[in-house]
Amino acid sequence: PALPAPPPPHHHVSLMASDDFFTFADVGSLLGTLDLVYIDGMHQIEHALKDVMNVERHCHPGSIVIVDGIYPTHPVQAERHRRSRFWAGDVWKIIPILRGIRPDLVLLPIDTEPTGSLIIIGLDPNNDALWKGFDVVADIAISQMTEVHDEFLAREGALHPRDPLLQRIFETLRDSRTGEVVPIDRVRSMVAGALPRTIAGVAQRT
């Protein structure tokens, strides 16, 4: 990017693909331990999943990872190769993958515009389940998961961005960072049975 001025303190811009960054850069020195990560890029499942895997190695139990583009609005937008002006790709596949391989994670799909977001909580840098199964999982996701599920087109079970539940979860994680144990079980109990939700005074999708 052509930055109009040098980045402010504590900011760093790396002009390389994310795979190259995590392979060749001094990631530990540049990133330290991550509190918040936002992933948005190739809009293809293998790249989004690998970004989650790479950043998890630098997270702590109270970290939050947000993945963009989980809710295409039309089947054409959900295809691996772009054929429309607005394109989400097959990032939606990350939800069934994480549900199956990483049930320890807390997944919060958010009804943001234009293509939704996924909040991931409960990350564990010592968990290598995704790394062990990545090649098989990526192959299945690409070759067999070829049609987007209706639940993603309809955004079933998504939280509204202004749902007060999110604020309570974030406050719980923030407050826990001064202690030794992050209450992930408490976060799970807050989420359990909470979806779908209706917020008074906020228009919901039908």
Side-chain angles (χ1 to χ4, degrees):
L3 300 178
H10 308 299
H11 287 65
H12 179 83
V13 177
S14 293
L15 304 180
M16 61 180 72
S18 58
D19 281 355
D20 292 340
F21 175 78
F22 286 105
T23 300
F24 301 113
D26 186 1
V27 181
S29 297
L30 291 172
L31 298 183
T33 303
L34 301 170
D35 291 327
L36 176 66
V37 178
Y38 185 82
I39 294 174
D40 181 17
M42 284 288 292
H43 290 190
Q44 292 179 328
I45 181 57
E46 65 271 32
H47 300 290
L49 184 59
K50 193 177 292 185
D51 282 345
V52 170
M53 294 160 55
N54 277 317
V55 298
E56 184 176 28
R57 288 181 162 178
H58 303 276
C59 289
H60 56 82
S63 300
I64 296 172
V65 170
I66 304 174
V67 180
D68 177 70
I70 60 166
Y71 283 142
T73 59
H74 187 277
V76 173
Q77 292 184 2
E79 295 178 357
R80 286 184 51 77
H81 302 290
R82 186 171 191 168
R83 293 197 297 126
S84 58
R85 179 179 179 185
F86 296 103
W87 177 59
D90 62 348
V91 178
W92 59 269
K93 299 174 183 177
I94 199 168
I95 294 182
I97 289 173
L98 293 181
R99 285 174 178 167
I101 300 178
R102 293 292 305 276
D104 57 302
L105 296 173
V106 177
L107 307 179
L108 300 173
I110 312 298
D111 187 10
T112 54
E113 293 295 343
T115 53
S117 307
L118 176 67
I119 293 177
I120 306 173
I121 300 172
L123 295 127
D124 179 3
N126 297 314
N127 191 313
D128 61 356
L130 287 170
W131 289 95
K132 289 180 177 179
F134 176 79
D135 290 338
V136 173
V137 169
D139 180 66
I140 292 174
I142 294 171
S143 62
Q144 299 184 26
M145 300 173 67
T146 56
E147 294 186 8
V148 61
H149 302 174
D150 290 340
E151 69 172 285
F152 298 104
L153 296 175
R155 305 195 177 197
E156 294 178 3
L159 286 167
H160 191 280
R162 294 197 297 273
D163 192 319
L165 174 64
L166 292 174
Q167 181 176 347
R168 293 199 298 272
I169 290 173
F170 296 151
E171 289 174 349
T172 299
L173 293 175
R174 180 200 62 196
D175 295 344
S176 69
R177 288 174 180 168
T178 59
E180 296 181 357
V181 178
V182 176
I184 296 302
D185 287 340
R186 181 181 174 190
V187 172
R188 290 193 182 97
S189 66
M190 295 166 66
V191 174
L195 304 179
R197 292 166 57 86
T198 300
I199 311 172
V202 176
Q204 300 291 302
R205 288 179 176 270
T206 58

